[in-house]
Amino acid sequence: MPMHIQQIRDFPLFSGFEPVWEPLLPQLSVKRFAKDETIAHHGAMAGAVWLVLAGWVSLVRNTPDGRESIVGLCGAGELFGEAALFEHATYPYNALVVQADTELAIIPADVIRRAVAADPQLAHHIMQELNARVAHAQLKLEQMSTLSAPQRIGCFLLRFCPLHKGDACTVAIPIEKHLVASYLGMKPETLSRGFQQLTAIGVRVRGAEIEVGSIVKLREYVCGSCGESGLCATEEELRDTVSQPRP
Amino acid sequence: MPMHIQQIRDFPLFSGFEPVWEPLLPQLSVKRFAKDETIAHHGAMAGAVWLVLAGWVSLVRNTPDGRESIVGLCGAGELFGEAALFEHATYPYNALVVQADTELAIIPADVIRRAVAADPQLAHHIMQELNARVAHAQLKLEQMSTLSAPQRIGCFLLRFCPLHKGDACTVAIPIEKHLVASYLGMKPETLSRGFQQLTAIGVRVRGAEIEVGSIVKLREYVCGSCGESGLCATEEELRDTVSQPRP
C-alpha cells in the first residue's frame, strides 16, 4: 500500500471516518511541488480538491487595484479547493506553495463528486467540514474586532506550538513576516510592534524562529478575550496536553 | 396552502431547487418574534435550522472579557443555525431579533437531518450553501485588509440598496449604528468618520435613513478595490438591474 494512504488515514480530518473515505484513497494521486509554484488559479474552473500531506500552501486573492490578501494557510491534513465539489465552480483564490517540497494529494473533481452523490455519509462529513470552515472564518472575523493585534499574533503562534513538548517551545513559521501580516489583516509595522509587545509575556523573535517562553501564559493572554475560548481546535489540543488548570 | 410556502419557494436560495426542498416545506412551522428576543443561545444544543421570512436577525458572540461582536446579519430568505444539521452540535452564536415583527420558519433538526440523509441532492444543495458562506466570510476577512473603512461601509450599504428603482435611493438600515460598527469590525467613531467621507460621493445620513445619491458611483468606489468585484451576490443583482456600463 502506498505510504501516503496510511498517512491520510491518520489525519484528524479522516480518522474515525475511514469507511467513508476508504473507497476514495486509491484514486488519489500524490505530487510534490516547489516553493512559489501556483497550483490553482483564482477564477479557473475547479478541477480538484487538494489535501496537504506535507508543507504549506497559502490561499491568496488579488484585488483589481493590486492589493493582495491571504485568506487561508493550509498545513498537513488540511483540504483546499472545495469548489471542485460543485459543477461549473471556479477556485475563489490562487493556491500558492509557500514551503519547499510541499506534498499534495489530488482528488479529481469527478471522483469526489461521484463519491459524494453516492454516499450520504461522505456528504455529511463534507458538510461538517464546510460548517467548521464557516465557524473558523467567523471566528477570525470576530477576532478582528475583539482581539488586539498582539493577541491575534499570539493566536496565530499557538497554532504552530508543538503541543507535546512542555510549556516552552520554539516555533518556525512557514511563511515570511509580510505574509503573516497579510494573513492577520494587519500592516507589517503593526506586526513588528505586536511582536515587541509580546516580549512582556515571554515571546521572542530570533530571526526566522520564535521562542515562546510559556504556552500557558500565551494562552491566558490570547484566549481570555476570545469567544471561542476552550472550544477551538488549538485549545482542544492544548487542554489534552498542557497539564495546567484552565484560567 | 399556507402563504409562507409560496414565499419560501420564491427565495433565491430555493428557487430552482423546488423538487429538493418541496418535501420539507409542510414540516416547517412559522413564528413571529418581537425585537430583542433571543431565539438561539450560544453553546446551546442546536435544535433547529431557521429561515428568515421577514425582518432581521443578528448573530452575536460574546467574549469572556465582555466584548460583543456581530458575526452575521440575516434578512429575508437567509438561513441560520446550520449547526442543527449535525448531531450534538451547539449554536456558535446568540441569534437575536433586531427588527419588530420578525417572522421565521423553523426547520426542526431531526426533520432536516433525516431529509439530508435520504436525499443526496438536498445534501449537495446544502453543501453549496455552506461553501458560499465560507466564501462570504473569507471575502469579509479580505475586505478587512484591502478595503478602507468608508469602502466597507459602502459595501454594507449596497446590500440594502433597492435595486429596481433607478440609480438614487434611500436606505433604511435595520440595526442601530453601533451594531453596524460592530458588524463591520470598526469602532463607532470610525463608522461616523467613514460616513462623513462618503458624502463626497453622494451618501448622506438623514437620521435613521441613508440617502445614496448614485449606486453606480458607490459601486465604483467600493468594488474597484474588492477581489470579488463582479462576482458577489450584490454585484450580480446590480449588473442585472442598473443599466450602466461596468467600470
Side-chain angles (χ1 to χ4, degrees):
Chain A
M1 183 206 313
M3 213 184 72
H4 70 267
I5 292 195
Q6 188 51 50
Q7 188 188 353
I8 291 172
R9 284 190 189 128
D10 290 342
F11 286 138
L13 177 62
F14 304 100
S15 78
F17 295 90
E18 288 84 353
V20 167
W21 287 93
E22 209 61 35
L24 275 174
L25 298 186
Q27 303 181 66
L28 307 190
S29 58
V30 174
K31 234 179 123 178
R32 189 175 290 242
F33 295 86
K35 190 171 182 298
D36 298 330
E37 269 191 83
T38 300
I39 47 185
H41 292 268
H42 189 174
M45 200 58 73
V49 173
W50 306 76
L51 170 67
V52 183
L53 299 177
W56 288 90
V57 172
S58 71
L59 310 177
V60 183
R61 292 164 51 98
N62 297 95
T63 64
D65 56 3
R67 282 148 173 273
E68 194 176 73
S69 74
I70 300 192
V71 294
L73 189 60
C74 304
E78 293 180 303
L79 290 172
F80 62 91
E82 300 82 358
L85 289 163
F86 312 105
E87 267 183 79
H88 311 299
T90 58
Y91 290 120
Y93 39 64
N94 295 312
L96 191 76
V97 173
V98 289
Q99 202 172 55
D101 295 325
T102 286
E103 217 175 44
L104 304 175
I106 300 158
I107 317 174
D110 59 332
V111 168
I112 187 97
R113 282 184 210 154
R114 259 201 312 271
V116 169
D119 182 357
Q121 280 190 293
L122 178 61
H124 188 264
H125 189 213
I126 289 177
M127 269 191 269
Q128 251 178 328
E129 179 59 18
L130 288 172
N131 194 52
R133 261 154 209 259
V134 178
H136 179 73
Q138 285 184 332
L139 178 62
K140 276 197 73 186
L141 266 172
E142 170 189 304
Q143 291 180 338
M144 296 293 263
S145 49
T146 58
L147 298 194
S148 67
Q151 282 175 321
R152 269 153 58 213
I153 298 166
C155 178
F156 178 75
L157 289 179
L158 282 171
R159 180 170 169 193
F160 298 94
C161 288
L163 302 175
H164 305 273
K165 293 174 185 168
D167 193 31
C169 67
T170 300
V171 169
I173 304 292
I175 56 174
E176 292 145 65
K177 296 259 162 49
H178 74 276
L179 296 179
V180 174
S182 164
Y183 181 62
L184 296 177
M186 57 180 74
K187 299 205 171 83
E189 54 269 28
T190 311
L191 184 78
S192 302
R193 249 197 329 269
F195 270 122
Q196 277 162 26
Q197 287 173 263
L198 285 173
T199 57
I201 55 159
V203 174
R204 272 184 185 76
V205 180
R206 301 262 182 249
E209 293 193 324
I210 291 154
E211 291 175 13
V212 175
S214 164
I215 296 176
V216 171
K217 266 196 200 163
L218 183 57
R219 232 175 90 232
E220 282 174 4
Y221 177 75
V222 173
C223 311
S225 299
C226 174
E228 206 66 354
S229 187
L231 294 165
C232 85
T234 306
E235 275 282 280
E236 285 288 331
E237 283 179 76
L238 280 166
R239 186 160 46 208
D240 296 342
T241 51
V242 180
S243 60
Q244 295 274 349
R246 291 175 54 74
Chain B
M1 183 207 312
M3 212 183 72
H4 69 267
I5 293 194
Q6 189 49 50
Q7 187 188 354
I8 291 172
R9 285 191 189 126
D10 290 341
F11 286 140
L13 176 63
F14 303 100
S15 77
F17 295 91
E18 288 84 353
V20 167
W21 287 93
E22 208 61 36
L24 276 174
L25 298 186
Q27 303 181 65
L28 307 190
S29 58
V30 174
K31 236 178 121 177
R32 189 175 288 244
F33 294 86
K35 188 169 182 297
D36 298 330
E37 270 191 82
T38 301
I39 46 186
H41 293 267
H42 189 175
M45 200 58 75
V49 174
W50 306 76
L51 169 67
V52 182
L53 299 178
W56 289 89
V57 172
S58 71
L59 310 178
V60 184
R61 293 166 50 98
N62 298 94
T63 64
D65 56 4
R67 281 149 174 272
E68 194 176 74
S69 73
I70 301 194
V71 294
L73 188 59
C74 304
E78 293 181 304
L79 289 171
F80 62 92
E82 300 82 359
L85 289 162
F86 312 106
E87 267 183 79
H88 312 300
T90 57
Y91 290 119
Y93 39 65
N94 295 313
L96 191 76
V97 174
V98 288
Q99 201 173 55
D101 296 325
T102 286
E103 218 175 43
L104 303 175
I106 302 159
I107 317 174
D110 58 334
V111 169
I112 187 94
R113 282 184 210 152
R114 259 201 313 269
V116 169
D119 181 357
Q121 281 191 291
L122 178 62
H124 188 265
H125 189 213
I126 288 176
M127 268 191 273
Q128 252 178 327
E129 178 60 16
L130 289 171
N131 195 51
R133 261 152 210 260
V134 177
H136 179 74
Q138 284 183 332
L139 178 62
K140 275 195 74 183
L141 266 172
E142 170 189 304
Q143 292 180 337
M144 297 292 264
S145 49
T146 58
L147 298 195
S148 67
Q151 282 174 321
R152 270 154 58 214
I153 298 167
C155 178
F156 179 74
L157 288 181
L158 282 172
R159 180 171 168 192
F160 297 96
C161 289
L163 302 175
H164 305 273
K165 294 175 185 168
D167 193 32
C169 66
T170 300
V171 169
I173 304 292
I175 57 173
E176 290 144 65
K177 297 258 163 46
H178 73 277
L179 296 179
V180 174
S182 164
Y183 180 63
L184 296 176
M186 56 181 74
K187 298 206 173 82
E189 53 269 30
T190 311
L191 184 78
S192 303
R193 251 198 326 271
F195 270 121
Q196 277 161 26
Q197 289 172 260
L198 286 174
T199 57
I201 54 158
V203 173
R204 272 183 185 79
V205 179
R206 301 264 182 246
E209 295 192 325
I210 291 155
E211 290 175 13
V212 176
S214 163
I215 296 176
V216 170
K217 266 196 198 162
L218 183 57
R219 233 174 91 229
E220 280 174 6
Y221 177 75
V222 173
C223 311
S225 299
C226 174
E228 205 65 357
S229 188
L231 293 166
C232 84
T234 305
E235 274 283 281
E236 285 288 331
E237 283 180 75
L238 281 166
R239 187 160 45 207
D240 297 341
T241 52
V242 180
S243 58
Q244 295 271 351
R246 290 176 54 74

